[in-house]
Amino acid sequence: MGSLTATRRAGASVPSRLFRVAHASFPCRFDLTSRRRACIYPNVGFQIQLCLFEKLGRDIDAVDAVVADGAFDISGEIAVSIRKTLENAEEQLENMFDDESLADDAQRWTDFGYFVQNCREYLGHVDVGLPLDLLNMAEDVARKLQNLDQVFDGEGVATAGRVGRVLAVWHELQAGMARSVDALPRVDAGYASALDRDLETSSAKRRKTG
């Protein structure tokens, strides 16, 4: 376990180091790293924070100002990221009924699986206050993925089924924490990602008035 943890930490540092020294976006650096080592998948929260750092021109003072102003909420950002991923999975499922060749496309489900496994490992036992409707959505997607082999055959279907089982486990863990008497308050389901908004930071205001 110790060596596995060390590998994950070392792997997570690779895209962040490339990000600091290369003039390219985090998604580009992450894609390059993943193509060389597919097992590298930094936890979702870390990826989101790197994206915020990039959005604000790699200005750590600007990041601190946005966080201090309450414009960036990591639990809300994680919820948005999970919701977008589940929506993409549902779209992939719907497309399969129009194009049955997708039943043999395992890569899309493998990529989705990395995300789901990441959530299972890093958020499996951590309550981040995910909205109840999002947990219901995760349960529904997990069920659809596990039942996909009743309609289609193919390598992609088999991979989707495995991903669905992992997603179901993660959902049960999160749902259990949400039902707990000491559960955290739920994230506002209407939270809009700071990565999709214009952020007027305190440091930017000071530069304008300086």
Side-chain angles (χ1 to χ4, degrees), residues 40-56:
I40 293 177
Y41 201 102
N43 77 71
V44 176
F46 178 62
Q47 293 185 48
I48 291 171
Q49 291 175 73
L50 281 180
C51 288
L52 177 66
F53 184 54
E54 177 187 28
K55 179 181 177 68
L56 296 176

Side-chain angles (χ1 to χ4, degrees), residues 42-118:
N43 77 71
V44 176
F46 178 62
Q47 293 185 48
I48 291 171
Q49 291 175 73
L50 281 180
C51 288
L52 177 66
F53 184 54
E54 177 187 28
K55 179 181 177 68
L56 296 176
R58 308 184 186 188
D59 182 342
I60 193 64
D61 291 331
V63 172
D64 288 342
V66 166
V67 173
D69 289 344
F72 177 86
D73 177 73
I74 188 60
S75 294
E77 297 293 336
I78 290 173
V80 169
S81 181
I82 292 173
R83 189 181 299 277
K84 288 180 178 178
T85 303
L86 292 175
E87 288 173 348
N88 288 338
E90 288 192 317
E91 181 180 0
Q92 176 80 346
L93 283 168
E94 293 174 2
N95 289 341
M96 196 174 292
F97 285 91
D98 296 325
D99 182 0
E100 293 188 9
S101 67
L102 294 175
D104 289 316
D105 182 4
Q107 187 57 52
R108 286 287 299 273
W109 296 115
T110 299
D111 295 340
F112 179 51
Y114 284 136
F115 180 90
V116 172
Q117 183 63 28
N118 185 282

Side-chain angles (χ1 to χ4, degrees), residues 144-183:
K144 290 177 179 177
L145 291 178
Q146 293 179 90
N147 293 335
L148 196 58
D149 61 358
Q150 298 180 18
V151 183
F152 299 102
D153 293 312
E155 185 179 350
V157 173
T159 302
R162 291 192 293 271
V163 173
R165 289 190 287 275
V166 176
L167 181 59
V169 171
W170 173 79
H171 165 264
E172 283 302 314
L173 292 170
Q174 281 292 322
M177 287 184 285
R179 293 191 296 265
S180 173
V181 294
D182 57 351

